[in-house]
mmCIF file of all heavy atoms in Angstrom:
data_model
loop_
_atom_site.group_PDB
_atom_site.id
_atom_site.type_symbol
_atom_site.label_atom_id
_atom_site.label_comp_id
_atom_site.label_asym_id
_atom_site.label_seq_id
_atom_site.Cartn_x
_atom_site.Cartn_y
_atom_site.Cartn_z
ATOM 1 N N PRO A 513 83.426 114.617 92.974
ATOM 2 C CA PRO A 513 83.424 115.791 92.080
ATOM 3 C C PRO A 513 83.821 117.019 92.831
ATOM 4 O O PRO A 513 83.520 117.136 94.068
ATOM 5 C CB PRO A 513 81.984 115.854 91.573
ATOM 6 C CG PRO A 513 81.482 114.489 91.733
ATOM 7 C CD PRO A 513 82.127 113.917 92.944
ATOM 8 N N ARG A 514 84.489 117.909 92.170
ATOM 9 C CA ARG A 514 84.935 119.182 92.793
ATOM 10 C C ARG A 514 83.752 119.917 93.353
ATOM 11 O O ARG A 514 82.731 120.116 92.677
ATOM 12 C CB ARG A 514 85.636 120.046 91.731
ATOM 13 C CG ARG A 514 86.304 121.280 92.322
ATOM 14 C CD ARG A 514 86.886 122.096 91.187
ATOM 15 N NE ARG A 514 87.912 121.294 90.527
ATOM 16 C CZ ARG A 514 89.217 121.472 90.682
ATOM 17 N NH1 ARG A 514 89.669 122.427 91.454
ATOM 18 N NH2 ARG A 514 90.105 120.720 90.019
ATOM 19 N N GLY A 515 83.835 120.259 94.662
ATOM 20 C CA GLY A 515 82.751 121.002 95.314
ATOM 21 C C GLY A 515 81.667 120.143 95.895
ATOM 22 O O GLY A 515 80.731 120.694 96.488
ATOM 23 N N ALA A 516 81.772 118.833 95.672
ATOM 24 C CA ALA A 516 80.746 117.953 96.228
ATOM 25 C C ALA A 516 81.217 117.339 97.539
ATOM 26 O O ALA A 516 82.374 117.033 97.716
ATOM 27 C CB ALA A 516 80.395 116.833 95.209
ATOM 28 N N SER A 517 80.299 117.055 98.442
ATOM 29 C CA SER A 517 80.616 116.389 99.677
ATOM 30 C C SER A 517 80.603 114.882 99.446
ATOM 31 O O SER A 517 79.971 114.406 98.530
ATOM 32 C CB SER A 517 79.621 116.749 100.793
ATOM 33 O OG SER A 517 78.348 116.241 100.412
ATOM 34 N N PRO A 518 81.290 114.091 100.285
ATOM 35 C CA PRO A 518 81.232 112.674 100.101
ATOM 36 C C PRO A 518 79.840 112.106 100.089
ATOM 37 O O PRO A 518 79.524 111.110 99.461
ATOM 38 C CB PRO A 518 82.057 112.142 101.276
ATOM 39 C CG PRO A 518 82.961 113.280 101.673
ATOM 40 C CD PRO A 518 82.160 114.485 101.385
ATOM 41 N N ALA A 519 78.957 112.679 100.917
ATOM 42 C CA ALA A 519 77.587 112.153 100.984
ATOM 43 C C ALA A 519 76.895 112.300 99.639
ATOM 44 O O ALA A 519 76.181 111.415 99.188
ATOM 45 C CB ALA A 519 76.776 112.910 102.078
ATOM 46 N N SER A 520 77.123 113.439 98.956
ATOM 47 C CA SER A 520 76.454 113.631 97.658
ATOM 48 C C SER A 520 77.066 112.767 96.584
ATOM 49 O O SER A 520 76.444 112.503 95.593
ATOM 50 C CB SER A 520 76.557 115.099 97.248
ATOM 51 O OG SER A 520 77.904 115.480 97.006
ATOM 52 N N SER A 521 78.320 112.301 96.756
ATOM 53 C CA SER A 521 78.978 111.470 95.734
ATOM 54 C C SER A 521 78.822 110.015 96.047
ATOM 55 O O SER A 521 79.318 109.172 95.347
ATOM 56 C CB SER A 521 80.439 111.819 95.617
ATOM 57 O OG SER A 521 81.103 111.486 96.834
ATOM 58 N N GLY A 522 78.045 109.697 97.120
ATOM 59 C CA GLY A 522 77.781 108.278 97.368
ATOM 60 C C GLY A 522 78.418 107.733 98.592
ATOM 61 O O GLY A 522 78.144 106.592 98.972
ATOM 62 N N ALA A 523 79.282 108.442 99.285
ATOM 63 C CA ALA A 523 79.953 107.936 100.471
ATOM 64 C C ALA A 523 79.128 108.176 101.695
ATOM 65 O O ALA A 523 78.511 109.202 101.852
ATOM 66 C CB ALA A 523 81.347 108.548 100.645
ATOM 67 N N SER A 524 79.121 107.265 102.620
ATOM 68 C CA SER A 524 78.369 107.419 103.863
ATOM 69 C C SER A 524 79.183 108.254 104.834
ATOM 70 O O SER A 524 80.401 108.173 104.884
ATOM 71 C CB SER A 524 78.007 106.085 104.435
ATOM 72 O OG SER A 524 79.210 105.350 104.658
ATOM 73 N N PRO A 525 78.574 109.125 105.623
ATOM 74 C CA PRO A 525 79.276 109.961 106.512
ATOM 75 C C PRO A 525 79.956 109.204 107.645
ATOM 76 O O PRO A 525 79.424 108.187 108.165
ATOM 77 C CB PRO A 525 78.241 110.901 107.037
ATOM 78 C CG PRO A 525 76.927 110.130 106.933
ATOM 79 C CD PRO A 525 77.100 109.277 105.754
ATOM 80 N N ALA A 526 81.065 109.631 108.100
ATOM 81 C CA ALA A 526 81.763 109.026 109.224
ATOM 82 C C ALA A 526 81.066 109.474 110.505
ATOM 83 O O ALA A 526 80.911 110.663 110.741
ATOM 84 C CB ALA A 526 83.217 109.423 109.253
ATOM 85 N N SER A 527 80.636 108.557 111.336
ATOM 86 C CA SER A 527 79.924 108.929 112.520
ATOM 87 C C SER A 527 80.493 108.284 113.757
ATOM 88 O O SER A 527 79.963 108.387 114.832
ATOM 89 C CB SER A 527 78.456 108.570 112.397
ATOM 90 O OG SER A 527 78.327 107.186 112.159
ATOM 91 N N SER A 528 81.582 107.510 113.610
ATOM 92 C CA SER A 528 82.078 106.766 114.680
ATOM 93 C C SER A 528 83.096 107.537 115.543
ATOM 94 O O SER A 528 83.678 108.455 115.086
ATOM 95 C CB SER A 528 82.762 105.470 114.184
ATOM 96 O OG SER A 528 83.738 105.772 113.271
ATOM 97 N N THR A 529 83.273 107.078 116.775
ATOM 98 C CA THR A 529 84.300 107.608 117.630
ATOM 99 C C THR A 529 85.172 106.501 118.073
ATOM 100 O O THR A 529 84.715 105.348 118.257
ATOM 101 C CB THR A 529 83.631 108.272 118.857
ATOM 102 O OG1 THR A 529 82.834 107.334 119.532
ATOM 103 C CG2 THR A 529 82.830 109.473 118.420
ATOM 104 N N ALA A 530 86.461 106.821 118.299
ATOM 105 C CA ALA A 530 87.416 105.757 118.650
ATOM 106 C C ALA A 530 87.242 105.342 120.100
ATOM 107 O O ALA A 530 86.836 106.104 120.955
ATOM 108 C CB ALA A 530 88.808 106.270 118.391
ATOM 109 N N ARG A 531 87.580 104.075 120.313
ATOM 110 C CA ARG A 531 87.666 103.570 121.673
ATOM 111 C C ARG A 531 88.970 102.841 121.870
ATOM 112 O O ARG A 531 89.566 102.330 120.914
ATOM 113 C CB ARG A 531 86.471 102.571 121.924
ATOM 114 C CG ARG A 531 85.147 103.298 122.004
ATOM 115 C CD ARG A 531 84.029 102.274 122.218
ATOM 116 N NE ARG A 531 83.667 101.660 120.950
ATOM 117 C CZ ARG A 531 83.362 100.370 120.824
ATOM 118 N NH1 ARG A 531 83.426 99.572 121.877
ATOM 119 N NH2 ARG A 531 83.090 99.850 119.683
ATOM 120 N N THR A 532 89.387 102.698 123.106
ATOM 121 C CA THR A 532 90.683 102.113 123.375
ATOM 122 C C THR A 532 90.589 100.585 123.440
ATOM 123 O O THR A 532 89.690 100.057 124.075
ATOM 124 C CB THR A 532 91.219 102.624 124.714
ATOM 125 O OG1 THR A 532 91.313 104.055 124.651
ATOM 126 C CG2 THR A 532 92.617 102.096 124.937
ATOM 127 N N TRP A 533 91.537 99.946 122.775
ATOM 128 C CA TRP A 533 91.589 98.507 122.824
ATOM 129 C C TRP A 533 92.385 98.110 124.070
ATOM 130 O O TRP A 533 93.572 98.314 124.115
ATOM 131 C CB TRP A 533 92.274 98.009 121.551
ATOM 132 C CG TRP A 533 92.389 96.509 121.460
ATOM 133 C CD1 TRP A 533 91.780 95.572 122.191
ATOM 134 C CD2 TRP A 533 93.182 95.770 120.502
ATOM 135 N NE1 TRP A 533 92.102 94.337 121.803
ATOM 136 C CE2 TRP A 533 92.952 94.426 120.746
ATOM 137 C CE3 TRP A 533 94.021 96.151 119.494
ATOM 138 C CZ2 TRP A 533 93.573 93.434 120.000
ATOM 139 C CZ3 TRP A 533 94.590 95.187 118.708
ATOM 140 C CH2 TRP A 533 94.392 93.818 119.001
ATOM 141 N N ARG A 534 91.682 97.547 125.071
ATOM 142 C CA ARG A 534 92.362 97.238 126.323
ATOM 143 C C ARG A 534 92.560 95.742 126.436
ATOM 144 O O ARG A 534 91.869 94.945 125.798
ATOM 145 C CB ARG A 534 91.457 97.707 127.511
ATOM 146 C CG ARG A 534 91.321 99.251 127.568
ATOM 147 C CD ARG A 534 90.613 99.682 128.808
ATOM 148 N NE ARG A 534 90.608 101.138 128.932
ATOM 149 C CZ ARG A 534 89.672 101.924 128.389
ATOM 150 N NH1 ARG A 534 88.677 101.362 127.727
ATOM 151 N NH2 ARG A 534 89.711 103.218 128.543
ATOM 152 N N PRO A 535 93.530 95.335 127.243
ATOM 153 C CA PRO A 535 93.868 93.901 127.333
ATOM 154 C C PRO A 535 92.678 93.014 127.690
ATOM 155 O O PRO A 535 92.553 91.922 127.234
ATOM 156 C CB PRO A 535 94.977 93.874 128.410
ATOM 157 C CG PRO A 535 95.584 95.228 128.366
ATOM 158 C CD PRO A 535 94.480 96.158 128.058
ATOM 159 N N ASP A 536 91.819 93.511 128.599
ATOM 160 C CA ASP A 536 90.701 92.677 129.029
ATOM 161 C C ASP A 536 89.628 92.532 127.953
ATOM 162 O O ASP A 536 88.669 91.764 128.109
ATOM 163 C CB ASP A 536 90.043 93.196 130.330
ATOM 164 C CG ASP A 536 89.600 94.686 130.163
ATOM 165 O OD1 ASP A 536 90.036 95.318 129.208
ATOM 166 O OD2 ASP A 536 88.814 95.129 130.985
ATOM 167 N N ASP A 537 89.818 93.257 126.841
ATOM 168 C CA ASP A 537 88.883 93.165 125.743
ATOM 169 C C ASP A 537 89.398 92.310 124.645
ATOM 170 O O ASP A 537 88.717 92.101 123.651
ATOM 171 C CB ASP A 537 88.581 94.562 125.131
ATOM 172 C CG ASP A 537 88.028 95.509 126.148
ATOM 173 O OD1 ASP A 537 87.227 95.027 127.032
ATOM 174 O OD2 ASP A 537 88.404 96.693 126.208
ATOM 175 N N ALA A 538 90.616 91.816 124.723
ATOM 176 C CA ALA A 538 91.203 91.030 123.616
ATOM 177 C C ALA A 538 90.329 89.824 123.375
ATOM 178 O O ALA A 538 89.920 89.080 124.290
ATOM 179 C CB ALA A 538 92.619 90.621 123.998
#
Side-chain angles (χ1 to χ4, degrees):
R514 189 182 298 256
S517 66
S520 66
S521 64
S524 57
S527 59
S528 55
T529 57
R531 289 178 282 141
T532 303
W533 181 12
R534 295 188 174 88
D536 56 345
D537 302 322

